[in-house]
Amino acid sequence: VRRAVVDIGAGKLANVADPVSSIDTAYSLDPETQKLDSLLNAVWEKMGSDRWTVGQLITLENCAPFSRLTAAMEEIAGETGRINARRLTRWVERQTGRIVNGLKMVRNERIAAGQTWQVIPTNSKNS
């Protein structure tokens, strides 16, 4: 079906767009995807591929209250001037494995301080 739609659009028989382009555009405009993109990039900038817990991210936020990381976490789990650790943890769990702009979050081992996570680069742009 995609091929037929692309051929119709290329032949100027109708004003239609490539369905895959439309899907990619909708994906990039999705608020959850935008939040994930902000968080992945902020964590990558601050932590690289080091492992971290949500508690460690919140501690970093307390040390740098006006950073990109702080803004990303507040967008996801901000509550009356603080970050809700439980809400942020649950959101991170739901986003595990999603690829946005070549980065994804993966779950690692559990330690005494909590579940550890890691942001890693991938070869794919979105998933």
Side-chain angles (χ1 to χ4, degrees):
V1 172
R2 176 185 181 215
R3 185 69 180 162
V5 171
V6 170
D7 288 346
I8 290 170
K12 308 290 187 213
L13 300 174
N15 186 15
V16 294
D18 181 349
V20 173
S21 296
S22 298
I23 291 168
D24 289 344
T25 300
Y27 181 81
S28 69
L29 296 175
D30 172 52
E32 291 300 299
T33 300
Q34 291 175 347
K35 290 176 193 176
L36 179 58
D37 185 36
S38 294
L39 185 68
L40 288 171
N41 282 294
V43 172
W44 180 254
E45 179 181 283
K46 190 70 96 170
M47 305 291 291
S49 61
D50 292 346
R51 294 175 181 186
W52 46 271
T53 65
V54 168
Q56 288 170 329
L57 289 186
I58 293 171
T59 299
L60 285 172
E61 180 268 335
N62 291 332
C63 297
F66 301 108
S67 71
R68 286 179 56 192
L69 179 59
T70 300
M73 290 191 299
E74 284 179 351
E75 178 71 20
I76 295 163
E79 279 185 4
T80 61
R82 66 178 191 83
I83 305 297
N84 181 316
R86 176 175 283 171
R87 191 153 99 201
L88 182 57
T89 299
R90 289 187 180 170
W91 189 89
V92 165
E93 288 172 347
R94 287 192 309 273
Q95 306 306 318
T96 301
R98 283 187 63 193
I99 300 169
V100 179
N101 292 325
L103 294 173
K104 75 176 177 177
M105 200 163 4
V106 295
R107 180 187 304 259
N108 283 297
E109 74 278 354
R110 186 162 185 77
I111 59 173
Q115 180 64 53
T116 61
W117 306 91
Q118 184 178 21
V119 173
I120 60 171
T122 67
N123 293 331
S124 178
K125 183 116 171 128
N126 291 325
S127 175

